[in-house]
Amino acid sequence: MDTTAAFGLKRTAGSPADIAAVAERVSVGRERILTQIRKVIVGQDQVIDQVLMALFTGGHCLITGVPGLAKTLLIKTLAQILDLSFKRIQFTPDGHRSLRFMKGPIFAQIILADEINRTPPKTQAALLEAMQEYHVTAAGRTYALDPPFFVLATQNPIELEGTYPLPEAQLDRFMFNVVMTYLAEDEEVRVVTQTTGVSMEVPDRVLGGPDILEIQQLVRQVAVAEDVARYAVRLVDASRPGRQTDHAFVREWVKWGAGLRASQALILAGKARALLHGRYHVSVGDIQSLALPVLRHRVIPNFYAESERITSDKLVEKLLEAVPPPRSGM
């Protein structure tokens, strides 16, 4: 199948009219992707959108959720829909503290790093270096990873025995921390009905590697007004204790705030969100809707916050309330 022709992309000179036309086609393509994913996955549209945004910006995703929420199935289904090579690395706390890079799973284009918090720090660091540098080194030789290279890591937040939580500096390598939650009752009924029947639908491929690389370039052409960019920077800066404009709740409850990568991620993901929704400019609404997945793993609560059950999500919500948005970017 010619996925490029099916998706309807073409090279663009980058003018506003061209980008607007491509934005519309990408928006239609998003709906086609969702249609295929819904053959297997019920609900979780917001999660799927965030995963696509990370893919279309060249970022990586950490997906957090309790067992049984179809985290692995979602990633495998996405790999089926995208005409890319896919490998799964199942991490276990077996005491082996090195990662030998053979021409194996790491050389696929979509990597499912299952239960990444169950592998020792040295192995985590090796994988995260590959995510950052897009190459691996073995026996003194450097091997490039084929683009697009996309890591989707999962972690279980409730089983802590035998785990190695990712350090803050390594968490920062993930564009998003996407949280999967339980389905609504009607959605769970559909899952139960579908998965206990005789057969299941098989999704079709709708997008290939060249398409994804082109979309990644198109994303960067999406316009962002200075006041919207400044709002994103102010939102991130407000999370940092000790800043001139910090807020009382930040001083009281935040151990570490978000760094420069968070500001970059908000803008780049905002561009992808705009494009996926048929627009070629970033709005304040894009930034606000992405604040939780971008910031929840970068704004670290301190001991006092944890003792009062103040989570990073609650801190991000308070930041959104505390930092006024520009009127012109709405």
Side-chain angles (χ1 to χ4, degrees), residues 62-262:
L62 180 64
I63 302 181
T64 303
V66 299
L69 296 182
K71 298 187 297 295
T72 301
L73 180 60
L74 168 61
I75 297 167
K76 292 173 70 174
T77 303
L78 182 64
Q80 283 183 276
I81 292 167
L82 305 177
D83 192 14
L84 303 173
S85 57
F86 168 74
K87 293 292 182 182
R88 173 179 177 178
I89 305 173
Q90 179 68 56
F91 291 117
T92 56
D94 58 6
H96 182 62
R97 294 182 176 267
S98 65
L99 182 64
R100 292 181 299 160
F101 283 110
M102 298 179 290
K103 282 279 187 174
I106 198 66
F107 286 91
Q109 292 171 299
I110 296 183
I111 303 293
L112 166 55
D114 222 355
E115 297 189 88
I116 192 172
N117 56 332
R118 289 193 173 276
T119 191
K122 188 174 181 180
T123 307
Q124 291 175 356
L127 175 64
L128 292 165
E129 182 181 357
M131 290 165 49
Q132 181 71 15
E133 305 297 336
Y134 294 90
H135 65 245
V136 296
T137 302
R141 288 191 61 186
T142 298
Y143 300 88
L145 300 171
D146 291 336
F149 178 67
F150 186 37
V151 174
L152 289 143
T154 69
Q155 65 176 4
N156 176 356
I158 61 174
E159 292 181 6
L160 300 179
E161 184 176 354
T163 63
Y164 306 85
L166 290 169
E168 288 83 355
Q170 294 183 358
L171 282 170
D172 197 32
R173 303 286 182 90
F174 289 97
M175 170 172 273
F176 289 155
N177 181 2
V178 179
V179 172
M180 288 187 72
T181 57
Y182 292 108
L183 297 172
E185 181 179 313
D186 288 346
E187 292 174 334
E188 190 162 341
V189 168
R190 286 174 55 199
V191 171
V192 170
T193 304
Q194 289 179 8
T195 57
T196 58
V198 176
S199 62
M200 292 184 63
E201 290 190 83
V202 178
D204 299 322
R205 294 190 187 277
V206 296
L207 200 64
D211 300 319
I212 294 168
L213 293 174
E214 185 171 355
I215 292 173
Q216 288 177 357
Q217 292 301 313
L218 292 170
V219 162
R220 291 180 175 270
Q221 298 179 47
V222 174
V224 55
E226 182 180 345
D227 57 353
V228 175
R230 194 172 296 277
Y231 172 67
V233 169
R234 285 176 175 169
L235 193 63
V236 171
D237 187 64
S239 73
R240 302 162 183 163
R243 301 292 284 180
Q244 187 176 0
T245 57
D246 70 356
H247 301 274
F249 72 89
V250 174
R251 292 193 297 272
E252 183 179 1
W253 288 327
V254 176
K255 179 181 179 182
W256 298 109
L260 174 60
R261 279 198 184 101

Side-chain angles (χ1 to χ4, degrees), residues 12-84:
T12 173
S15 70
D18 288 336
I19 296 174
V22 174
E24 176 63 26
R25 286 196 293 276
V26 172
S27 177
V28 172
R30 166 184 172 269
E31 291 302 321
R32 295 184 63 185
I33 291 172
L34 288 175
T35 297
Q36 297 305 316
I37 289 180
R38 286 175 184 141
K39 291 180 179 180
V40 180
I41 301 294
V42 174
Q44 307 292 2
D45 282 6
Q46 186 178 52
V47 171
I48 295 166
D49 261 355
Q50 291 171 3
V51 170
L52 289 178
M53 288 176 218
L55 173 66
F56 293 155
T57 56
H60 306 286
C61 256
L62 180 64
I63 302 181
T64 303
V66 299
L69 296 182
K71 298 187 297 295
T72 301
L73 180 60
L74 168 61
I75 297 167
K76 292 173 70 174
T77 303
L78 182 64
Q80 283 183 276
I81 292 167
L82 305 177
D83 192 14
L84 303 173

Side-chain angles (χ1 to χ4, degrees), residues 269-284:
K271 292 184 174 192
R273 187 177 189 271
L275 197 61
L276 283 172
H277 288 82
R279 291 180 283 110
Y280 61 98
H281 68 278
V282 181
S283 70
V284 167

Side-chain angles (χ1 to χ4, degrees), residues 285-313:
D286 292 322
I287 303 300
Q288 292 172 330
S289 71
L290 295 166
L292 273 172
V294 168
L295 295 177
R296 63 161 52 101
H297 57 302
R298 294 179 164 104
V299 178
I300 311 302
N302 60 21
F303 170 80
Y304 301 105
E306 292 173 353
S307 67
E308 296 182 39
R309 300 182 183 275
I310 303 295
T311 64
S312 58
D313 278 27

